[in-house]
Amino acid sequence: MKLGFKILAIESSCDETSCAVVVDGRVCLSNIVSSQIDIHTRFGGVVPEVASRNHITAIDNVVALALEKAGCTFKDIDAIAVTYGAGLIGSLIVGVSYAKALSYALDIPLIAVNHIYGHIAGNYLSFPDLNPPFVCLLVSGGHTAIIEVKDFNHHSIIGNTLDDAAGESFDKVARVLGLGYPGGPKVDALAEKGKNYIEFTKPNHELGYNFSFSGKKTAIINYVHKLEQTGKPVPKEDICYSFSKSTVDELVEKTIRAAKNLGYKKVVLAGGVSANKRLRAQLTSVANENGIECFIPKMEYCTDNAAMIGSAGYFAYISGVGIADMTLAPKPNLSL
Ligand code: KG4
Ligand code: ZN
């Protein structure tokens, strides 16, 4: 494998249209992200049909900008990587079709990347010397899992959510409090101002390494509705603080327990919720207290972006996995 292998990566699984140029899986030359947040905010969440139409409008410019920022032309690109699942079917079709067309026209390899592997790889860009094995806490809008990452292409799930994902529950709490979409960053910001802890649910010790967030979400919704019905003020800051604290406490405790029990000395955070301030700080400090090294991705690699897909694509390609052809089809329900 030659050094300086340049991958042009495309990510369009949800409401971000993104293109990046990544060298040898570790160096990001450009990472253009065109967000549709403003478009979906008025609907209170992502509208799939609207998202796919906007990907079509954005993708040409996003790819052109990524090449320009990287100082490249198509001739410099050695392979195309693309997210083929999991995600919204219409959104995935846009990225996958575009990537297939580029691969065919340029006559270079096409690499199919699982979005979740991409989130983990955001750490290989953030920490050029980081290699598996490690335990990863993956927390995004669609997933919450503790994953044993044995090597770049072998992962096994040791804990999962039984209902809502962590990001999804942040978004739902934000919605009931009228904070808007996406809710995670808004709950995160308000939580910093909260002082009084409200216990919405007690920890369930029977879950092992698994998670369940829907009971807490329902308790919060009922609490808020009761206050509203009786005309009492809703303590939004305390609710955000209590929800964030109990959620982060549980995520961190289970991740560190898993790492200790399985004998790992490294823990890695990944996914959109890894932008959460409390989670970043608490995982770092509890890991350190337990003699475990902790890796927190740079903010630009937390939420959806194509650079992480370029990195994951590289490590798949050099191991001979993920190599696709013109039959590649999006897989909306792709699992790990
Ligand atoms: O990984 P991601 O960009 O998309 C998926 O693959 O799902 O994650 C998006 C999720 C959303 O639910 C969003 O509210 C949440 O990540 N999120 C946060 C924060 N920033 C983004 N949740 C809590 N605190 C944040 N600062
Ligand atoms: Zn994601």
Side-chain angles (χ1 to χ4, degrees):
M1 185 80 170
K2 72 167 192 175
L3 269 182
F5 192 83
K6 285 196 185 73
I7 290 184
L8 183 141
I10 293 175
E11 155 63 40
S12 71
S13 63
C14 189
D15 62 340
E16 261 96 25
T17 320
S18 182
C19 180
V21 178
V22 175
V23 185
D24 295 337
R26 296 285 188 175
V27 179
C28 174
L29 297 185
S30 63
N31 188 24
I32 306 296
V33 182
S34 166
S35 171
Q36 301 178 13
I37 283 180
D38 293 347
I39 297 166
H40 297 282
T41 298
R42 77 185 102 130
F43 303 113
V46 177
V47 181
E49 175 63 20
V50 175
S52 39
R53 285 173 189 274
N54 279 284
H55 283 306
I56 295 171
T57 314
I59 197 160
D60 264 335
N61 281 339
V62 168
V63 171
L65 268 177
L67 282 170
E68 187 187 319
K69 177 129 193 267
C72 295
T73 68
F74 281 128
K75 286 203 184 94
D76 302 310
I77 302 300
D78 297 298
I80 307 291
V82 64
T83 303
Y84 77 112
L88 302 171
I89 180 68
S91 294
L92 289 166
I93 285 173
V94 178
V96 169
S97 307
Y98 204 94
K100 279 160 72 171
L102 281 182
S103 157
Y104 185 78
L106 300 170
D107 195 21
I108 54 177
L110 177 66
I111 309 162
V113 178
N114 182 325
H115 184 78
I116 297 306
Y117 287 20
H119 272 302
I120 298 170
N123 286 281
Y124 304 139
L125 293 165
S126 304
F127 304 98
D129 296 325
L130 173 66
N131 290 314
F134 50 75
V135 162
C136 176
L137 171 64
L138 173 89
V139 268
S140 72
H143 294 83
T144 301
I146 297 175
I147 302 168
E148 202 178 348
V149 180
K150 294 172 186 160
D151 69 42
F152 288 103
N153 299 297
H154 290 97
H155 309 69
S156 53
I157 296 184
I158 50 179
N160 213 335
T161 180
L162 305 181
D163 39 58
D164 294 349
E168 184 184 359
S169 50
F170 267 97
D171 293 338
K172 285 177 176 166
V173 168
R175 188 176 307 162
V176 72
L177 294 176
L179 303 179
Y181 172 85
K186 293 179 174 137
V187 172
D188 192 10
L190 268 196
E192 287 190 297
K193 299 183 187 151
K195 289 185 186 71
N196 305 307
Y197 183 76
I198 308 160
E199 187 170 62
F200 290 108
T201 46
K202 296 213 181 301
N204 179 349
H205 299 292
E206 284 165 19
L207 289 173
Y209 295 128
N210 292 326
F211 302 95
S212 168
F213 297 112
S214 75
K216 184 161 48 182
K217 171 201 69 189
T218 308
I220 291 176
I221 292 172
N222 291 341
Y223 181 83
V224 170
H225 285 168
K226 238 179 233 161
L227 289 176
E228 284 171 347
Q229 280 158 7
T230 50
K232 292 190 183 136
V234 175
K236 292 188 183 181
E237 294 167 357
D238 288 340
I239 293 171
C240 290
Y241 162 68
S242 308
F243 173 76
S244 302
K245 180 177 160 31
S246 60
T247 302
V248 167
D249 283 353
E250 185 181 356
L251 291 169
V252 169
E253 189 277 322
K254 288 182 179 168
T255 305
I256 298 299
R257 178 150 50 89
K260 282 168 74 174
N261 287 347
L262 295 166
Y264 284 92
K265 283 284 167 204
K266 286 188 264 188
V267 293
V268 167
L269 184 59
V273 183
S274 59
N276 184 272
K277 287 191 212 79
R278 174 178 282 271
L279 178 57
R280 295 170 79 87
Q282 194 161 319
L283 187 63
T284 306
S285 69
V286 177
N288 291 345
E289 281 161 24
N290 284 278
I292 294 171
E293 221 182 332
C294 181
F295 297 85
I296 306 287
K298 288 185 182 169
M299 286 303 250
E300 64 259 42
Y301 303 130
C302 288
T303 43
D304 293 349
N305 67 90
M308 66 186 198
I309 303 303
S311 174
Y314 174 79
F315 291 108
Y317 184 72
I318 58 171
S319 318
V321 297
I323 298 166
D325 59 23
M326 292 304 119
T327 62
L328 178 66
K331 290 208 165 52
N333 299 319
L334 185 67
S335 56
L336 205 67

